[in-house]
Amino acid sequence: MQKRFNNLDGLRFIAALVVVICHFEIIKTYFGIPKTGGRFYSNSAQVAVTFFFVLSGFLITWLLLKEKLADPADRISLSRFYKRRILRIWPLYYLLVILTFFVLRHQPFFQDLPAHTAAGSHLAEKRLPGYIFFLPNYTEYRFGAQPFLGQTWSLAVEEFFYLFFPLGLYLIRMKYIVKYLLILAILFMGLSLAMRIPEITSAMPGRLRSILYVFFDKYRIYSFALGGLAAWLLLSGKSYYPKLTGLLSRKALAVLLAIMLSGLTLIGLTFSIATQQLYSVFFALFIFSATASGIRFFLLNNPVMLYLGKISYGIYMLHPLATVVLLRIMKPAAAVSLPETFGLTAGTVLMTVFLAVISYELFEKFFLRRKSRS
């Protein structure tokens, strides 16, 4: 079985890097530093998270379908799947939850953050159960965001996907998998678009509208499903759609999509109510083309990028903490020049990578070795 695909580790790091840079622009406002502005900073973090969702759908579907094809009974081991996901996701997540609620908010270095005031401390007691049970989205909706844990909303989305999606792959016969993925993609894409049409949502009660918006729009199930379709096409597409797979497997197309998506992300281009839906389609096409064509981008596959891709989970999880630590140490003035802003951004990236390396080498590897054995 193919263990790793070219390009994907490097792409994972680049997506995490986009999130770090964009979130730095938000976090620095809590220290009185105005935003730099620009569509990249306001839009591209969400695009990067959509890429994570599509990539997760691709990789998880690929692994499970390979297992399903290799099993005479057309089955997969759900227990092994859940064990591996738990060992990868939960340790760092719960470590950060423990640090946030029981250590950091009681330290003078962090106590004057807005959510660590007396009112914030009172709300923290209400937020804690939600984070313990992996419900950051509901918790944030009810009680507001907890410092250093705002980024965990996407983990809740991924955990929801991990909980239910493999059950469909387990129960449905291989020849019907493509229909299962298509139904998921079309159904949830339609529901997410519907939640952005005022004529549909205006008559709903406010709380119901908020809950449905979170579930059908924020939980981008269509992104995972489109990634899954790319994985299915890579495994079985040649037998059913040889012309389509042949067209999409060209290296020239992979290069074209890479250039196009890089440009769209850098300028922060949006497509009205269909932004994440269209980006999901583009990312699924690119991931398929980049893997099926066998193209190997040097920028994405050199040893440094491969290592940064491996620690990208820590980069994503620890970047709010790293940003606050850096701004606390540097104590920049409210009026910073453009070169100073670039310097602070670069410092945030380096601080984040530093913390991620420590987390990966001294903490995450312990659980990853057990994940590999399973």
Side-chain angles (χ1 to χ4, degrees):
M1 180 187 293
Q2 183 172 349
K3 290 294 184 182
R4 303 192 78 84
F5 291 101
N6 290 331
N7 310 308
L8 299 189
D9 280 326
L11 287 169
R12 188 184 284 112
F13 165 69
I14 290 176
L17 179 64
V18 169
V19 173
V20 173
I21 294 172
C22 293
H23 284 181
F24 170 76
E25 285 296 306
I26 298 172
I27 296 172
K28 75 180 187 180
T29 61
Y30 297 118
F31 293 82
I33 306 171
K35 289 184 179 180
T36 304
R39 295 178 64 88
F40 169 79
Y41 295 111
S42 58
N43 299 326
S44 295
Q46 286 292 324
V47 172
V49 172
T50 293
F51 172 78
F52 280 130
F53 291 162
V54 176
L55 182 60
S56 289
F58 173 82
L59 292 173
I60 295 304
T61 304
W62 165 269
L63 291 171
L64 293 179
L65 290 187
K66 287 285 285 186
E67 182 179 345
K68 193 176 182 73
L69 285 169
D71 188 271
D74 202 26
R75 295 292 188 183
I76 57 178
S77 173
L78 292 177
S79 61
R80 182 167 61 239
F81 170 79
Y82 291 130
K83 179 181 178 182
R84 289 170 61 84
R85 288 297 88 203
I86 286 171
L87 287 171
R88 184 65 189 104
I89 301 298
W90 286 19
L92 183 55
Y93 171 82
Y94 281 112
L95 175 63
L96 191 57
V97 168
I98 291 169
L99 288 174
T100 296
F101 281 96
F102 299 105
V103 180
L104 299 180
R105 73 188 184 97
H106 299 296
Q107 301 302 313
F109 193 73
F110 301 106
Q111 275 185 344
D112 60 341
L113 293 178
H116 286 169
T117 60
S121 296
H122 174 69
L123 286 174
E125 298 172 2
K126 296 183 178 181
R127 296 183 189 122
L128 179 58
Y131 284 99
I132 289 175
F133 291 103
F134 240 110
L135 297 170
N137 289 306
Y138 175 76
T139 303
E140 185 171 332
Y141 168 71
R142 287 292 307 278
F143 307 114
Q146 183 69 17
F148 312 121
L149 294 176
Q151 75 283 13
T152 60
W153 75 268
S154 64
L155 286 189
V157 175
E158 297 235 10
E159 289 296 289
F160 180 85
F161 166 75
Y162 295 150
L163 182 61
F164 293 105
F165 178 76
L167 295 175
L169 298 185
Y170 177 84
L171 295 171
I172 298 171
R173 296 179 63 184
M174 189 67 191
K175 64 179 180 179
Y176 299 121
I177 291 295
V178 66
K179 294 181 180 178
Y180 168 61
L181 295 169
L182 280 170
I183 289 171
L184 283 180
I186 294 171
L187 174 64
F188 281 93
M189 189 176 289
L191 289 171
S192 69
L193 290 171
M195 292 309 302
R196 289 182 170 269
I197 299 175
E199 289 78 8
I200 294 176
T201 60
S202 58
M204 296 179 182
R207 177 167 291 188
L208 175 64
R209 181 168 61 249
S210 298
I211 293 173
L212 291 179
Y213 174 80
V214 167
F215 184 75
F216 290 133
D217 190 70
K218 204 169 187 178
Y219 281 61
R220 298 165 200 164
I221 305 302
Y222 56 86
S223 300
F224 296 100
L226 288 167
L229 279 169
W232 177 87
L233 200 62
L234 189 63
L235 278 170
S236 306
K238 289 182 181 179
S239 302
Y240 296 91
Y241 308 106
K243 292 184 179 179
L244 176 63
T245 54
L247 175 65
L248 297 179
S249 299
R250 296 180 179 179
K251 291 184 178 180
L253 179 62
V255 173
L256 179 63
L257 287 169
I259 295 171
M260 181 190 78
L261 288 169
S262 298
L264 293 178
T265 303
L266 285 173
I267 64 176
L269 187 66
T270 56
F271 302 97
S272 185
I273 65 171
T275 297
Q276 306 308 328
Q277 292 81 357
L278 284 175
Y279 273 111
S280 295
V281 173
F282 293 150
F283 286 138
L285 288 173
F286 173 61
I287 289 172
F288 174 83
S289 184
T291 51
S293 66
I295 194 170
R296 191 175 185 274
F297 297 100
F298 174 77
L299 175 64
L300 301 175
N301 294 280
N302 64 75
V304 174
M305 289 294 283
L306 292 176
Y307 182 78
L308 292 171
K310 288 181 181 180
I311 66 170
S312 59
Y313 177 52
I315 290 173
Y316 183 80
M317 288 294 289
L318 298 171
H319 76 272
L321 176 60
T323 303
V324 171
V325 170
L326 178 89
L327 291 174
R328 277 279 189 254
I329 294 172
M330 299 299 295
K331 297 180 180 179
V336 295
S337 64
L338 191 59
E340 288 173 327
T341 299
F342 287 144
L344 289 172
T345 304
T348 295
V349 171
L350 292 174
M351 178 68 76
T352 301
V353 170
F354 173 71
L355 292 183
V357 169
I358 293 175
S359 171
Y360 183 80
E361 296 294 340
L362 302 182
F363 181 71
E364 296 171 62
K365 268 189 173 180
F366 174 83
F367 300 96
L368 291 174
R369 284 192 288 267
R370 282 145 184 81
K371 173 177 173 282
S372 298
R373 292 171 192 165
S374 67

